[in-house]
Amino acid sequence: MATWTPPRTWITNDLGNEALLNQQLRDNLLWLKTPPSVEVIATTDISTTSTILVSMTSMSGLLEVVGSRLLVGYSGPMRADADTRTLSMTVNVDGVALALPVVTEIGTNVRMVAYVARIRNVTPGIRLAAIYWQTGAGTMFQDGATTQRRFFAAEWL
Amino acid sequence: MAAVWTPPRTWRHGELATKELLNTHLRDNMDWLKDRPIASGGAITDISTTSTSLVLMTNMSDSLVVNGDRLLIAFTGWFTCDSFPRTLTMAIAVDGSTLAEVARTNVTTAGNGGTPCHFFARVSDILAGTRTIAIQWKTSGGTMNQPGATIPRGFFALEAT
């Protein structure tokens, strides 16, 4: 994987030698084309009865952050044990919620849930990005064996 | 004309950075990064399906030249059905083959307001080259409608991240 180096401020008579061109052009171009990211697809059935936000099984991954911004997405259907259950979801980085939770009503009939967030103020370094979820009451299900759930986080924008 | 991506050159000692090399490895690659390949579709027509196996959704297909192997794909739309409950399933297809079923939701009738269905997914392992990205759908039974004349449907696939 390419490494990002802060772009050089060139000065008069600066020599664009082999090392500088490879670092400043080749490696930075490669990093911009394919920035750090993680993608997870899960095909297992999961559920939660937690009324506080907890990590969603298999919806997390490590990536090395250089800047401070991530684009994070979740996609997958949900259902509940009874109608008018409340599903809350958020994005955590290293266990800290960095996005406002999204809240929607889920019932016994399966409903598609798609969630995308751009989060800021991520500290550079290797970070664990994860989707957290909770139910207002009862049980919330994600039938991954029937329709997969997907998660990705990428340094972008 | 769409910019072309060329794997960045490994420069050697004593090498002359000619205009051809700089235009290929600096100008064109910068242009590609600024305007990455994208495929998209949108429609304001009413459509429906009675198919219980995945079929192409009308006007939800487009081609792009993939250089890497990753795409961000998003779809938005609103659905109704003839009788509750019907289950809508949606998938992403590449070059006519289903890549993954990525969305599923129970849909209500128009009289009950219908049901939105959106997804936003990143997919990997796409072969480089010109690829046709399409949205597929099916119903669990009866008739599934996408009233695009009332609420348009749209999708995009973007080479990114």
Side-chain angles (χ1 to χ4, degrees):
Chain A
M1 192 175 72
T3 301
W4 174 260
T5 303
R8 180 182 185 85
T9 298
W10 299 86
I11 58 176
T12 303
N13 295 325
D14 212 355
L15 181 62
N17 62 27
E18 166 190 3
L20 283 174
L21 290 178
N22 287 335
Q23 178 192 66
Q24 297 286 317
L25 291 186
R26 183 195 61 191
D27 293 348
N28 280 354
L29 284 168
L30 285 170
W31 189 95
L32 287 168
K33 183 172 185 289
T34 313
S37 67
V38 61
E39 177 184 329
V40 181
I41 301 169
T43 57
T44 54
D45 292 343
I46 59 172
S47 63
T48 187
T49 56
S50 178
T51 54
I52 59 171
L53 288 164
V54 292
S55 180
M56 182 180 283
T57 304
S58 302
M59 289 287 101
S60 65
L62 292 168
L63 73 168
E64 185 165 6
V65 180
V66 174
S68 63
R69 300 169 182 167
L70 294 179
L71 184 70
V72 180
Y74 167 85
S75 191
M78 303 275 189
R79 66 180 174 88
D81 64 326
D83 286 337
T84 66
R85 298 297 194 202
T86 301
L87 166 71
S88 300
M89 299 179 73
T90 191
V91 179
N92 276 31
V93 176
D94 290 344
V96 177
L98 289 185
L100 292 173
V102 61
V103 178
T104 190
E105 188 177 285
I106 302 289
T108 55
N109 289 298
V110 67
R111 171 168 286 190
M112 187 61 198
V113 176
Y115 174 39
V116 60
R118 176 184 174 237
I119 57 176
R120 301 179 297 168
N121 302 323
V122 178
T123 304
I126 296 175
R127 299 285 164 248
L128 179 68
I131 298 293
Y132 276 50
W133 67 333
Q134 73 175 68
T135 180
T139 305
M140 193 69 62
F141 299 92
Q142 201 290 312
D143 302 323
T146 303
T147 301
Q148 61 190 219
R149 60 189 178 279
R150 307 176 71 102
F151 159 77
F152 78 88
E155 183 155 5
W156 204 41
L157 300 172
Chain B
M1 192 177 80
V4 175
W5 174 263
T6 301
R9 184 177 187 83
T10 297
W11 300 86
R12 299 185 301 272
H13 178 69
E15 189 170 24
L16 182 63
T18 64
K19 66 179 183 183
E20 289 81 8
L21 288 173
L22 288 177
N23 286 338
T24 298
H25 294 280
L26 191 52
R27 182 196 61 189
D28 293 350
N29 281 350
M30 288 289 190
D31 278 342
W32 188 94
L33 288 168
K34 183 174 180 293
D35 294 308
R36 291 165 181 260
I38 186 168
S40 63
I44 54 172
T45 54
D46 292 344
I47 57 173
S48 63
T49 187
T50 57
S51 178
T52 55
S53 58
L54 289 165
V55 293
L56 174 66
M57 182 177 284
T58 304
N59 299 123
M60 293 290 106
S61 174
D62 196 14
S63 297
L64 77 167
V65 178
V66 178
N67 286 278
D69 68 346
R70 301 170 181 169
L71 297 175
L72 279 177
I73 300 178
F75 171 87
T76 183
W78 196 274
F79 296 85
T80 64
C81 63
D82 61 329
S83 176
F84 180 81
R86 304 290 193 200
T87 301
L88 165 70
T89 301
M90 301 186 69
I92 295 167
V94 178
D95 291 343
S97 297
T98 301
L99 184 69
E101 290 187 6
V102 294
R104 183 168 59 96
T105 189
N106 278 8
V107 173
T108 63
T109 62
N112 283 303
T115 304
C117 187
H118 316 296
F119 64 80
F120 187 81
R122 192 185 85 161
V123 296
S124 300
D125 302 325
I126 307 294
L127 293 176
T130 300
R131 298 284 163 251
T132 298
I133 310 301
I135 305 299
Q136 297 176 320
W137 65 330
K138 68 178 179 180
T139 178
S140 59
T143 302
M144 189 68 63
N145 308 298
Q146 200 288 307
T150 307
I151 301 178
R153 62 190 175 278
F155 92 102
F156 72 80
L158 171 72
E159 177 155 5
T161 68

